Amino acid sequence: MADKPKSGELLGVPYNFERPSVSRLLSSYWQPGDGMLVEKPFGIGYTLNLASWRSWVVLGIAGVLLWNEQSDGTADEADEDEPVEVVVD
C-alpha cells in the first residue's frame, strides 16, 4: 500500500499533517509578503498571518466582543426582574 501524502490540498482547502517544528510554526504565522490568511502549519485550513495589520484588527475586534459579552452578563439578569410597561393604541 502506498504512503498517503502528509500535506497537500483537498477541494481547494490545504492540509498539513507533518510533524510541526518551532521554526515552521514561527515562519507560517509570520509571513510579511502574504495576505491576511496563510496556510496552517499543522491541520486543515487557514490561519491568521500575524505580520498583517488586518489580522491584528480582527483579533482586537474579537477581543472587544468577548470582553463585552462577559461584562454584559451580570447587567442583563438585574433588568429581567423589573416590570415592563406596554402601551397599546
Side-chain angles (χ1 to χ4, degrees):
M1 189 165 172
D3 290 334
K4 295 181 182 179
K6 294 188 179 209
S7 65
E9 210 170 281
L10 182 65
L11 300 174
V13 179
Y15 66 91
N16 189 353
F17 294 112
E18 295 173 359
R19 187 177 184 145
S21 66
V22 174
S23 62
R24 197 174 86 202
L25 288 173
L26 292 176
S27 67
S28 63
Y29 283 113
W30 191 268
Q31 297 180 7
D34 290 346
M36 187 174 88
L37 296 176
V38 292
E39 293 180 8
K40 280 187 169 187
F42 182 79
I44 301 171
Y46 296 95
T47 188
L48 291 175
N49 180 8
L50 297 179
S52 173
W53 62 272
R54 292 176 186 97
S55 298
W56 290 102
V57 170
V58 169
L59 288 173
I61 290 172
V64 167
L65 290 174
L66 182 64
W67 176 76
N68 189 23
E69 180 181 327
Q70 290 178 351
S71 65
D72 284 348
T74 58
D76 290 339
E77 294 172 2
D79 293 338
E80 292 177 2
D81 295 337
E82 297 177 10
V84 178
E85 181 180 346
V86 178
V87 178
V88 179
D89 287 335

